[in-house]
Amino acid sequence: MRFLPVLRKLAQAYQSFEHYSASHLKSIGLTMTQFDIIATLGNQPPMTCKELGEKTLVTKGTLTGVLERLEGKGIIRRETNREDARSQMVSLTQDGQQLFEKVFPEHVTYLGRAFCKLTAREVEELSGSLEKLRSIF
């Protein structure tokens, strides 16, 4: 049971990150989920909803609603997949790409203000530890 304090710290760290990140995204008019989708689609060719779900942290049930709202705002477009008419291809519109080009570097800079408090070695160690933790599950 010595892992229980680690789980608590992991959850607290994620909650702190989410609060820090979400407050900035809210100030620029986006949710974490919307940003995740826009960031994933930015500078990329169209992808299926399945691919988008796999590349983001968005569950299938949530993805549908968020895509509908982003499409309604003119940020993304969904078109029938020419290779498989049962699926749709999702991409950013021109307005969506412009939004990506504005908010992505802005948010990365914002996150960088927190991460710059760590040394390069600490970042590398954290990355290794998190990858090791992910791999055991």
Side-chain angles (χ1 to χ4, degrees), residues 93-105:
T93 61
Q94 185 175 359
D95 287 347
Q97 183 63 31
Q98 288 174 346
L99 180 63
F100 165 78
E101 290 170 7
K102 177 188 179 296
V103 300
F104 185 78

Side-chain angles (χ1 to χ4, degrees), residues 13-116:
Y14 178 73
Q15 288 171 342
S16 295
F17 166 77
E18 189 173 55
H19 177 74
Y20 182 80
S21 181
S23 66
H24 180 252
L25 291 172
K26 184 177 182 182
S27 76
I28 56 179
L30 295 172
T31 66
M32 293 271 289
T33 304
Q34 290 170 335
F35 178 78
D36 194 8
I37 291 169
I38 292 167
T40 302
L41 291 171
N43 293 329
Q44 296 296 314
M47 61 184 75
T48 65
C49 291
K50 182 180 178 187
E51 291 168 326
L52 185 58
E54 291 169 353
K55 292 182 180 197
T56 64
L57 302 175
V58 183
T59 63
K60 185 179 178 181
T62 301
L63 184 63
T64 302
V66 175
L67 291 179
E68 287 173 1
R69 286 185 288 284
L70 289 174
E71 187 174 36
K73 292 179 179 182
I75 294 171
I76 63 137
R77 77 172 60 83
R78 293 186 285 181
E79 299 171 329
T80 301
N81 184 348
R82 293 180 185 158
E83 296 175 14
D84 182 356
R86 297 171 295 174
S87 67
Q88 295 180 324
M89 301 299 289
V90 183
S91 61
L92 292 178
T93 61
Q94 185 175 359
D95 287 347
Q97 183 63 31
Q98 288 174 346
L99 180 63
F100 165 78
E101 290 170 7
K102 177 188 179 296
V103 300
F104 185 78
E106 185 179 322
H107 193 58
V108 169
T109 299
Y110 179 79
L111 295 176
R113 286 188 217 131
F115 279 95
C116 76

